[in-house]
Amino acid sequence: MLALSTQLNTYLLLGAMLFGFGVFGLVKRPSLIGMLIAAELVLCGASVNFMAFNHFLAPDKTVGQIMTLFIMAIAAAEAAIAMSIIVAVYRNYKSVETQDLADLQG
Amino acid sequence: MSSQALSQNQEVFELNLGPQHPATHGVLRVKLVMDGEYVVDAEPVLGYIHRMHELMGENRTWAQYLPNMGRLDYLSALSYNLGYVELVEKMMGIEVPERAEYIRVLTTELNRISSHLLWFGAFVLDLGGFTPLLYAFDDREQILDLLESVTGSRLTYCYYRFGGLYNDVDDDFLTGCTQFLKRLRSRMPMYHDLVTGNVILRQRLVDVGPISAEMCRRYGATGPVLRGSGVNYDVRKNEPYSIYPELDFDVPVYNECDSMARYMVRMDEIEQSMRIIEQCIAQMPQGDIMAPKVPKMIKPEVGDYYHAVEAARGTFGIRTVSDGKNQAYRMKLRAPTFCNLSLFQEASKGMLLADALAFMGSLDLVIPEIDR
Amino acid sequence: MAGYFKSILTGTKSLVTGLKITQAEFFRKPITLQYPHEVLVMTPRYRGHIQLVKNPETGTHQCISCGLCQKGCPSGCITVRGEKREGVKGKVLVQYDLDFTTCSLCGQCIENCKPGAIEFSLEYNLASTRKEDFHYDLLARLEEQK
Amino acid sequence: MNIQEFYNYFQISLGVADVVKEGVFLGFILVTLGGALMATCSTRTIRAIFGLVVCFVGIAGIYYFLNSPFVSLMQLMIYVGAVAITIAFAIMLAEPDENKRAAKTPPLAGPFAVLLGASVTWALAAASLGAKWMAPAIVVNEGTVTQVGEALLTKYSMAFELVSIVLLLAILGSLVVARSGRDKEC
Amino acid sequence: MNKATITTQLRALAATGMVDEPETAPAPVVEEVEEGAKKKAAPPAPRKNGLLEVDPARKGVHLDVQLNGDQVVAAAQALDAEGMQLEAITGVDWINDNELELVYDYSYTGGEFFRVVVRARIPRDEPNISTLCDVFPSANWHERETYDFFGINFEGHPQLENLLLPEDSDFHPLLKDFKGC
Amino acid sequence: MDINLVYMVLFLAGIIGFAALNAAYLVWVERKGAARIQRRTGPSEVGFAGLLQPLADGAKLMSKQILFPDGIDKPLFMLAPMFAMIPAVMILVTIPFGPVGFGPFADFMLVAREMNIGLLMIFAFASVNVMALLLGGWSSKNKYAVISAARAVSQDIAYEIPMILIAITIVMTTGSMHLSTIVESQAGGFWNWNWLPLQGNLFGPVTFIIFFICSLAETNRAPFDLGEAESELIAGFHTEYSSMGFGLFFMGEYANIVIGAALTTILFLGGWLSPLPASIPFIGAPSVVWFLLKMYLLIWTVVLIRWTYPRVTLWSLLNLAWKIMIPFALVNLLGSAALIKILPMLGL
């Protein structure tokens, strides 16, 4: 039977697809928040890859896990900062649409 | 400032508090403009149970209007009864027998205690504590039982008559009153331990909803609201009526001006009312309960008259214009909570929603009285 | 700093006091009445809807159909009709209707009644889904009492 | 009867467990991809957040299959409990009404995004699937929670400290950015 | 609060606004009442402007001031300066005189028992009077209520909408020619 | 990964049944208890002492129509109640209720599937629970619900911090996140339990109280029920819910109370251990009975607290968390860490 869960390629494909979804969302989303969500997907895609390599290929199986944990910490920090920026931007421009923020490019 | 103009400057949204809302104790609607949890503007919208009592006064005889008085403020109906019969007695020059006066004061003060107890329970309920409400109801039921045994009804009393009372009280009632006072005196420390001293309650009331004495004056606020702002004014003391001048009681005044001060004023008023009742029981003379000569047809002299009494929520005033007929030409009822509520819009600006509701509770609103 | 710890201590103390009170109340007996199983005895002065007083001697009412109760009623919920009959002095009551939906139990009718023909009943458990159930024919109710 | 006997008593070795296991795994993959799709494609921001949460839950399941329940639970705790909630809060604060959000996307963004996303996916997949991955010759450790913890405090302690500084700075920075321009001090 | 100051100020105010000859002040109010009582059911004739000191034990107020419609604000300012509070505003419809009367009740809450009532009559056909909202904020609701019941237009009122009656009502129930709706 | 299917399924069913039964009968306990506190009788008509009342209520709730107000986000509206219930069940899966303690299966552990990082699992799923409130409140398109969701979330996040800090202290002193190990490390009578400061936990009783208060706040119970403050926000995030949607939120709330009490029992009150030394026969034996006894005692305290205090405001709630609890928890963490290092040096 097809044992998907024991094959590295499944995870790699999943990671690639998540990354792709993230890139797709980053371009497509009109608002800062949508882009933030897409960025989280990109990070998740990377994490999945790390974890997969860690499980199947790494001799020291702590490395990938620790990498993923660091990514999580960075993602949390990123989300906090992004949120504060979004709130600040909204307060000044009354919008989080990227089109409306063209004057930020000053 | 209209809400549209506001919303351009600030992140605001409108919230309709009521007419059906657990915190408004009736059908009051407050149009809130909120900035997050903060109240930017709160406009009370009245009139959901408006019954045009003033027009009823113009097409009923003086005696027929009497039951309406119990329907204004259903929680302290006897104060309103008292104000009205005293006004008519003033117009007609009727002397009321002393026993009747004592019974009137006794029952009014009992009614005041019951009103304050209900307010106490409902106020703590507004703050989220449910149990004190039922303890207060327990005590209040005793008062209602006592008053029922005299007046026959439990809430919308119609007990006083021009020149006296509907019927006399008996010794059972007086001993019942004494027992009740004993009971309530033992319960008051429990209330203070359970509620007044509670740190959560204090956090919610101290320094919340400050109303200065000047603001009270500009808005015509009276009653515990005024006394919680450090003004020593009580119609019973300052414009004495009935037999209040012969009784020894204090007017509780607190200078903190916050919700806690209003709370404490009412709790102390319960104690003072108990003192009044004790004196009434001790000093009550025997005798008639009706004035000997009460005209069959009440036709006051032409002119206009004003009479104010201290109801549980503040100064209740009646201004009436008589054209000499058996019906009033004009009957104006000055409801205390109407004025007390009118300061809500200014005072609640910038408050947290929870604080605004605590503040509204501390004003002790009775909607039928506001809407009349 | 001392104030900080003191406020924490006093606050905790007040909370514990509250808990003690409610826990003590928990062990006390309920004071409520289980209504359909137990009923209260109404005080003699209880104001139910009005009813005609039964004269113990004659077994009938004492109303002279003067209509003073009808006139005095603030909300106009009483309809009294009497008619002249031969051989009887005064008017004979043929109809005494009470619209209890508008009655405010003020007692003006009872005070106005010279012969003392009406009184408050002690009935309190009146409930119905129909408004018409509260249009009482007091004469018929007096008959039922017999 | 102790617990092991109980286990053995009910032990089923028919391979049913494997089928169920694979089914659950497939379910997690579908949940992940469905969540990702919802997060990127839905028009309402709240649904995008929800999709993100679903995707995170799916990924947590995947991590569990990768034999590291610790990371899986951390994924739930940090991503769902913190990141997703933070983003949701950002929406609450910054997008009070979603109705005005119509098709503001530039006309070419849609196709272009699809194209870009697909090509990135294809490139990555091709690269990773095409490569020859070698299984490790020796396994130093199994990556248990204890080993992860020890590694964090010994081998990677510098990185660990740096991450904590990054987090601290992020907190301070977001406080500064979010508070500036707020006139009402509270 | 100084009773004498208030009395003088209000008396002066009433005197300046007088169109006809001044009412002999203090007019014994009892006489007026008796006169009215003799006529039995006839409503009292419109009073002239002026200030009466009346018996509070009988009437409930100390000073009874009648002014012109345009003087109520000045009176309110004078009373405000003395620390009085506005208790109520109401109207009376004197349909026989084709006039509406505005009644302003003031009281003092500082200690002493002192009540003042200020009246003004305005024509029934153009019921306009200036608002007291700028002096006493409590006038806001009282005036809206009076607007509800009498249709009196308070000029300069910030929000003259129905308060107690429904928003869309166009009747004024306390006018004597109101026939129900 | 050896998944023993039958065992899992049996226990999962058991756990869901336990959660549902607890939810139903905790409602009864709460109503009856509140009634007695308020000198009333409480439910008394359906069954003896109203014991069948929860079933009647449940039947009524299920027969009600599910209402979908205009403008709601329907899929999320329907999913939110499940998000409230599923994490609760998942957490219950990992909680060990202890050995039976008597009879032929005396050593048999009552636990569905214990993980060696059980404590982390509990906190992970507890943080998912917040999403339920957020989604439920937000998808309702009701301003009260939105305010309530914002409140509930900020409250939950604020109280997660001291809770986790204290849990970390316990993990430090015990050296394990395995719940059974944490319990077993407290063996030897009640003076060895973590709520007393005898084991390197600096402010033992204080941390116990803080943890308990945090668990109250995390489960949105009075006096921290800001999310459904009925005198302010009507019913908060579940204002628009009817029928089983409401029922699931309700069950989730009570399941969370059970979890909070169970966790406090495990971490501080010695779980299934007897308060007396194990050498005493029968009473001294560890048993699930002890566990349930302690847990329900805590739950009763929760009920008592709800019916005693008024509700706090959002600001004083957050002040309590940030100004009192977090400093205490932090000092406790540092102090305990120091103690762990110092005590062995002193030879203790």
Side-chain angles (χ1 to χ4, degrees):
Chain A
M1 89 180 248
L2 182 68
L4 280 174
S5 65
T6 52
Q7 289 178 15
L8 174 62
N9 285 351
T10 323
Y11 299 96
L12 293 183
L13 197 61
L14 184 70
M17 284 175 83
L18 278 177
F19 199 94
F21 269 121
V23 172
F24 163 67
L26 269 178
V27 179
K28 190 206 158 218
R29 280 284 174 186
S31 76
L32 287 179
I33 291 169
M35 290 166 76
L36 181 61
I37 292 173
E40 297 296 339
L41 285 181
V42 171
L43 285 175
C44 276
S47 299
V48 168
N49 263 21
F50 267 113
M51 289 298 286
F53 285 133
N54 176 57
H55 181 61
F56 290 102
L57 305 177
D60 182 353
K61 291 196 193 307
T62 56
V63 186
Q65 294 193 37
I66 287 172
M67 203 64 210
T68 312
L69 288 176
F70 284 162
I71 291 177
M72 279 176 195
I74 299 299
E78 174 224 337
I81 291 190
M83 177 182 140
S84 64
I85 290 176
I86 287 170
V87 170
V89 163
Y90 183 76
R91 196 175 290 138
N92 289 329
Y93 297 93
K94 295 281 167 255
S95 169
V96 286
E97 314 281 313
T98 36
Q99 285 292 301
D100 303 341
L101 301 182
D103 51 347
L104 264 182
Q105 293 162 353
Chain B
M1 189 164 24
S2 76
S3 53
Q4 279 82 18
L6 267 175
S7 61
Q8 282 166 5
N9 302 330
Q10 270 169 300
E11 267 314 303
V12 294
F13 62 97
E14 280 188 26
L15 189 67
N16 262 317
L17 197 81
Q20 301 290 338
H21 188 278
T24 54
H25 302 300
V27 275
L28 170 69
R29 173 175 159 220
V30 184
K31 249 195 317 203
L32 290 171
V33 179
M34 308 271 299
D35 175 12
E37 287 260 338
Y38 287 94
V39 175
V40 176
D41 187 44
E43 187 198 346
V45 181
L46 311 180
Y48 284 90
I49 46 169
H50 174 56
R51 289 149 299 165
M52 206 67 238
H53 271 293
E54 296 183 7
L55 184 57
M56 281 189 216
E58 292 177 17
N59 49 32
R60 290 183 175 195
T61 64
W62 295 97
Q64 277 179 339
Y65 193 50
L66 200 47
N68 282 47
M69 285 297 123
R71 270 81 184 166
L72 284 172
D73 177 353
Y74 53 84
L75 294 178
S76 65
L78 284 174
S79 305
Y80 290 72
N81 268 318
L82 186 63
Y84 182 63
V85 293
E86 289 207 329
L87 172 78
V88 174
E89 281 155 9
K90 200 188 230 179
M91 291 194 297
M92 299 296 291
I94 302 170
E95 283 288 320
V96 184
E98 202 168 44
R99 181 176 174 84
E101 292 275 27
Y102 271 101
I103 296 173
R104 278 181 180 182
V105 169
L106 195 160
T107 43
T108 308
E109 294 300 324
L110 267 182
N111 203 197
R112 189 188 308 277
I113 296 180
S114 84
S115 167
H116 281 343
L117 279 175
L118 186 126
W119 166 82
F120 164 77
F123 182 47
V124 183
L125 183 65
D126 276 354
L127 303 175
F130 192 81
T131 301
L133 171 78
L134 285 149
Y135 293 167
F137 259 65
D138 181 8
D139 286 333
R140 182 170 169 268
E141 282 300 301
Q142 313 288 326
I143 300 179
L144 297 192
D145 284 348
L146 282 171
L147 288 177
E148 187 191 5
S149 73
V150 180
T151 67
S153 32
R154 292 180 78 82
L155 206 61
T156 49
Y157 311 105
C158 180
Y159 178 49
Y160 307 144
R161 293 291 181 270
F162 306 136
L165 305 166
Y166 174 61
N167 48 23
D168 201 354
V169 300
D170 49 14
D171 288 342
D172 284 352
F173 172 75
L174 294 181
T175 47
C177 282
T178 319
Q179 276 167 3
F180 167 72
L181 290 183
K182 211 176 135 201
R183 176 199 154 99
L184 190 59
R185 278 199 201 288
S186 66
R187 295 270 284 187
M188 288 307 280
M190 187 271 275
Y191 289 137
H192 286 303
D193 279 347
L194 181 63
V195 180
T196 315
N198 189 295
V199 62
I200 300 175
L201 184 106
R202 295 195 81 88
Q203 273 183 352
R204 293 211 50 181
L205 296 189
V206 174
D207 292 336
V208 167
I211 310 175
S212 66
E214 172 64 11
M215 190 167 174
C216 282
R217 185 183 72 79
R218 288 192 300 123
Y219 276 98
T222 46
V225 177
L226 183 64
R227 291 192 283 277
S229 300
V231 179
N232 186 349
Y233 174 76
D234 187 319
V235 183
R236 290 175 294 177
K237 283 270 189 207
N238 295 58
E239 310 171 23
Y241 56 96
S242 197
I243 46 144
Y244 280 111
E246 293 161 36
L247 299 168
D248 175 34
F249 64 98
D250 300 326
V251 178
V253 175
Y254 281 79
N255 291 318
E256 286 83 3
C257 304
D258 54 3
S259 298
M260 194 69 201
R262 293 186 279 280
Y263 171 91
M264 287 312 294
V265 165
R266 291 198 179 90
M267 293 308 270
D268 287 2
E269 270 184 21
I270 294 180
E271 311 264 359
Q272 295 304 326
S273 289
M274 285 197 278
R275 276 180 65 195
I276 296 177
I277 293 170
E278 269 168 359
Q279 293 171 41
C280 282
I281 295 173
Q283 299 171 11
M284 189 177 295
Q286 291 298 321
D288 287 336
I289 53 151
M290 277 301 276
K293 273 202 260 173
V294 180
K296 197 85 203 118
M297 204 51 135
I298 306 279
K299 284 187 178 175
E301 287 168 359
V302 175
D304 56 350
Y305 305 86
Y306 187 86
H307 186 65
V309 291
E310 181 76 20
R313 283 160 190 79
T315 309
F316 168 60
I318 312 181
R319 166 164 293 284
T320 186
V321 179
S322 167
D323 59 352
K325 288 191 187 138
N326 62 350
Q327 292 174 337
Y329 188 77
R330 174 84 181 91
M331 181 82 76
K332 160 73 184 171
L333 307 168
R334 189 262 180 206
T337 33
F338 182 82
C339 302
N340 292 0
L341 180 62
S342 68
L343 55 74
F344 182 72
Q345 186 166 11
E346 185 182 321
S348 67
K349 280 203 171 89
M351 274 188 193
L352 280 173
L353 176 63
D355 286 346
L357 291 174
F359 170 51
M360 189 153 79
S362 79
L363 293 178
D364 193 6
L365 304 179
V366 171
I367 312 301
E369 191 210 9
I370 298 172
D371 283 354
R372 284 161 296 155
Chain C
M1 204 59 187
Y4 170 79
F5 286 111
K6 205 182 158 200
S7 67
I8 292 178
L9 265 181
T10 50
T12 318
K13 205 178 138 204
S14 76
L15 296 179
V16 173
T17 321
L19 280 185
K20 266 189 210 155
I21 290 171
T22 42
Q23 185 64 64
E25 294 283 326
F26 174 76
F27 291 114
R28 294 173 67 191
K29 265 207 165 118
I31 44 167
T32 47
L33 202 73
Q34 298 299 300
Y35 166 60
H37 309 300
E38 313 164 63
V39 286
L40 274 177
V41 181
M42 284 292 125
T43 62
R45 284 181 184 174
Y46 178 75
R47 299 186 185 188
H49 65 79
I50 55 167
Q51 64 185 15
L52 290 167
V53 179
K54 189 156 71 172
N55 190 333
E57 288 165 23
T58 60
T60 56
H61 62 83
Q62 300 164 330
C63 179
I64 52 167
S65 357
C66 61
L68 273 179
C69 45
Q70 188 178 345
K71 242 179 261 169
C73 181
S75 35
C77 56
I78 299 173
T79 318
V80 184
R81 199 159 57 83
E83 53 181 37
K84 278 276 186 194
R85 289 218 183 122
E86 277 182 42
V88 188
K89 209 176 134 200
K91 282 199 261 185
V92 177
L93 183 66
V94 292
Q95 187 198 6
Y96 199 114
D97 283 349
L98 170 68
D99 181 3
F100 193 50
T101 53
T102 55
C103 177
S104 55
L105 297 166
C106 62
Q108 296 277 347
C109 44
I110 292 174
E111 274 168 72
N112 283 353
C113 188
K114 287 220 179 72
I118 41 178
E119 64 178 4
F120 286 119
S121 69
L122 295 184
E123 279 181 49
Y124 62 92
N125 42 3
L126 306 159
S128 173
T129 49
R130 284 171 1 111
K131 212 168 143 187
E132 291 73 36
D133 289 350
F134 296 107
H135 292 259
Y136 297 133
D137 182 354
L138 293 189
L139 268 176
R141 281 180 100 84
L142 187 72
E143 293 293 319
E144 279 168 28
Q145 276 185 11
K146 277 174 190 171
Chain D
M1 178 154 79
N2 66 19
I3 194 157
Q4 199 51 51
E5 287 169 22
F6 191 84
Y7 272 140
N8 297 341
Y9 187 72
F10 282 110
Q11 194 69 49
I12 300 170
S13 48
L14 293 174
V16 182
D18 281 341
V19 175
V20 172
K21 201 173 128 189
E22 288 306 317
V24 170
F25 181 71
L26 207 63
F28 275 130
I29 287 190
L30 289 180
V31 161
T32 310
L33 291 179
L37 196 70
M38 199 169 169
T40 44
C41 293
S42 79
T43 45
R44 291 189 187 172
T45 331
I46 172 72
R47 287 203 188 163
I49 297 280
F50 181 71
L52 193 66
V53 170
V54 168
C55 176
F56 286 154
V57 171
I59 292 174
I62 302 285
Y63 288 168
Y64 190 78
F65 273 87
L66 285 172
N67 214 6
S68 62
F70 179 67
V71 179
S72 156
L73 291 177
M74 288 309 272
Q75 166 90 10
L76 272 187
M77 201 156 131
I78 292 177
Y79 272 112
V80 179
V83 174
I85 300 250
T86 313
I87 299 175
F89 246 73
I91 300 179
M92 270 193 185
L93 293 172
E95 283 196 337
D97 44 338
E98 296 172 20
N99 300 339
K100 65 176 183 187
R101 304 178 29 75
K104 269 199 173 177
T105 325
L108 273 178
F112 176 65
V114 172
L115 204 69
L116 191 70
S119 51
V120 165
T121 313
W122 181 79
L124 279 175
S128 53
L129 298 185
K132 262 250 180 278
W133 302 109
M134 305 290 278
I138 43 155
V139 173
V140 179
N141 64 38
E142 281 302 317
T144 59
V145 183
T146 328
Q147 283 160 346
V148 171
E150 275 169 8
L152 267 179
L153 290 181
T154 50
K155 214 170 164 185
Y156 302 102
S157 55
M158 188 64 194
F160 188 67
E161 291 305 318
L162 284 178
V163 161
S164 60
I165 288 175
V166 166
L167 277 174
L168 187 68
L169 287 180
I171 292 170
L172 293 178
S174 55
L175 275 179
V176 169
V177 174
R179 274 188 88 88
S180 62
R182 188 168 178 89
D183 42 0
K184 188 159 56 184
E185 287 296 321
C186 48
Chain E
M1 194 262 321
N2 189 332
K3 278 185 189 178
T5 326
I6 291 177
T7 316
T8 339
Q9 281 184 348
L10 289 180
R11 183 168 286 150
L13 202 60
T16 53
M18 254 174 261
V19 204
D20 305 325
E21 61 198 74
E23 195 172 19
T24 45
V29 70
V30 189
E31 278 180 21
E32 194 191 334
V33 168
E34 274 172 6
E35 202 182 333
K38 268 177 220 158
K39 284 184 204 159
K40 283 284 169 190
R47 260 181 55 192
K48 288 167 189 164
N49 285 4
L51 180 140
L52 300 177
E53 286 182 37
V54 296
D55 175 20
R58 174 131 179 84
K59 291 286 193 180
V61 291
H62 293 78
L63 293 182
D64 190 334
V65 187
Q66 173 118 6
L67 297 172
N68 276 346
D70 51 3
Q71 290 174 320
V72 288
V73 179
Q77 277 160 349
L79 289 163
D80 181 38
E82 291 294 327
M84 304 279 285
Q85 80 171 24
L86 177 66
E87 228 174 42
I89 299 176
T90 191
V92 184
D93 180 18
W94 297 109
I95 192 164
N96 292 347
D97 309 324
N98 203 24
E99 276 179 335
L100 285 170
E101 181 179 342
L102 264 292
V103 185
Y104 298 86
D105 275 303
Y106 294 93
S107 69
Y108 183 63
T109 53
E112 222 174 327
F113 172 29
F114 188 58
R115 282 182 195 279
V116 177
V117 55
V118 175
R119 307 156 185 286
R121 292 214 174 195
I122 52 174
R124 212 163 174 278
D125 313 320
E126 335 166 16
N128 297 323
I129 195 161
S130 55
T131 177
L132 287 195
C133 285
D134 302 330
V135 189
F136 287 102
S138 62
N140 187 326
W141 280 17
H142 289 302
E143 284 177 357
R144 278 174 72 183
E145 186 193 315
T146 315
Y147 165 75
D148 272 8
F149 292 165
F150 294 93
I152 293 171
N153 179 29
F154 290 90
E155 289 158 356
H157 191 285
Q159 189 191 5
L160 203 59
E161 298 162 8
N162 282 351
L163 180 70
L164 294 177
L165 296 182
E167 301 92 81
D168 54 351
S169 59
D170 52 355
F171 47 84
H172 302 292
L174 283 184
L175 292 178
K176 289 286 174 185
D177 52 2
F178 172 70
K179 288 285 179 294
C181 47
Chain F
M1 261 174 55
D2 57 330
I3 302 172
N4 192 320
L5 267 178
V6 177
Y7 186 79
M8 277 293 282
V9 168
L10 272 180
F11 248 107
L12 209 61
I15 284 297
I16 293 175
F18 180 73
L21 198 75
N22 256 309
Y25 277 90
L26 283 183
V27 175
W28 180 84
V29 168
E30 173 125 44
R31 287 179 64 183
K32 204 77 180 169
R36 290 303 300 270
I37 288 170
Q38 296 159 356
R39 314 284 304 280
R40 296 183 285 120
T41 328
S44 61
E45 293 298 308
V46 191
F48 172 72
L51 272 171
L52 298 180
Q53 187 73 45
L55 304 182
D57 285 349
K60 185 198 77 177
L61 214 53
M62 272 184 245
S63 62
K64 293 269 178 191
Q65 186 192 1
I66 298 184
L67 288 174
F68 296 108
D70 250 11
I72 57 160
D73 198 327
K74 206 166 163 186
L76 299 190
F77 188 77
M78 289 196 290
L79 277 168
M82 293 175 200
F83 256 66
M85 197 58 208
I86 291 172
V89 173
M90 291 301 291
I91 293 175
L92 281 173
V93 161
T94 197
I95 286 182
F97 290 90
V100 177
F102 49 84
F105 298 99
D107 290 339
F108 180 63
M109 274 300 271
L110 288 166
V111 57
R113 181 169 179 80
E114 206 186 346
M115 297 178 82
N116 62 345
I117 44 173
L119 198 57
L120 183 67
M121 173 143 173
I122 290 175
F123 282 111
F125 280 99
S127 60
V128 176
N129 195 26
V130 182
M131 278 316 283
L133 311 190
L134 193 69
L135 290 177
W138 208 348
S139 60
S140 297
K141 276 284 152 61
N142 178 321
K143 284 169 187 167
Y144 290 111
V146 173
I147 296 178
S148 148
R151 279 182 177 192
V153 170
S154 50
Q155 166 187 348
D156 278 9
I157 288 179
Y159 278 84
E160 236 167 50
I161 299 167
M163 206 169 177
I164 290 180
L165 283 178
I166 289 168
I168 287 175
T169 318
I170 300 292
V171 170
M172 255 165 38
T173 52
T174 318
S176 171
M177 282 199 274
H178 191 227
L179 294 174
S180 295
T181 315
I182 292 177
V183 172
E184 293 302 337
S185 74
Q186 304 175 46
F190 67 88
W191 51 89
N192 275 337
W193 295 353
N194 282 335
W195 68 290
L196 277 176
L198 298 178
Q199 288 198 325
N201 186 3
L202 191 61
F203 300 126
V206 177
T207 49
F208 167 59
I209 290 168
I210 291 181
F211 192 85
F212 184 63
I213 292 173
C214 289
S215 75
L216 276 183
E218 279 286 295
T219 47
N220 286 317
R221 280 290 294 193
F224 306 106
D225 56 342
L226 290 178
E228 46 176 301
E230 82 274 356
S231 58
E232 296 154 28
L233 302 178
I234 306 181
F237 53 88
H238 58 67
T239 306
E240 298 286 355
Y241 280 91
S242 59
S243 183
M244 268 334 269
F246 169 74
L248 277 178
F249 269 124
F250 208 61
M251 267 170 71
E253 186 189 329
Y254 281 94
N256 283 337
I257 295 168
V258 172
I259 290 166
L263 194 59
T264 316
T265 308
I266 288 172
L267 292 186
F268 289 96
L269 298 181
W272 52 84
L273 299 172
S274 162
L276 304 166
S279 51
I280 302 172
F282 198 66
I283 303 180
S287 153
V288 69
V289 177
W290 285 118
F291 188 94
L292 294 180
L293 205 67
K294 292 168 192 170
M295 189 179 92
Y296 285 120
L297 201 68
L298 283 177
I299 291 177
W300 172 249
T301 319
V302 171
V303 170
L304 196 63
I305 284 175
R306 167 160 181 196
W307 297 105
T308 307
Y309 301 139
R311 185 181 308 112
V312 299
T313 54
L314 185 64
W315 269 192
S316 56
L317 175 105
L318 296 180
N319 277 345
L320 181 68
W322 292 102
K323 287 190 183 162
I324 297 182
M325 296 196 165
I326 293 179
F328 263 102
L330 269 175
V331 171
N332 183 53
L333 182 73
L334 293 175
S336 304
L339 273 184
I340 288 170
K341 282 285 164 200
I342 290 168
L343 285 181
M345 286 180 200
L346 299 174
L348 285 167

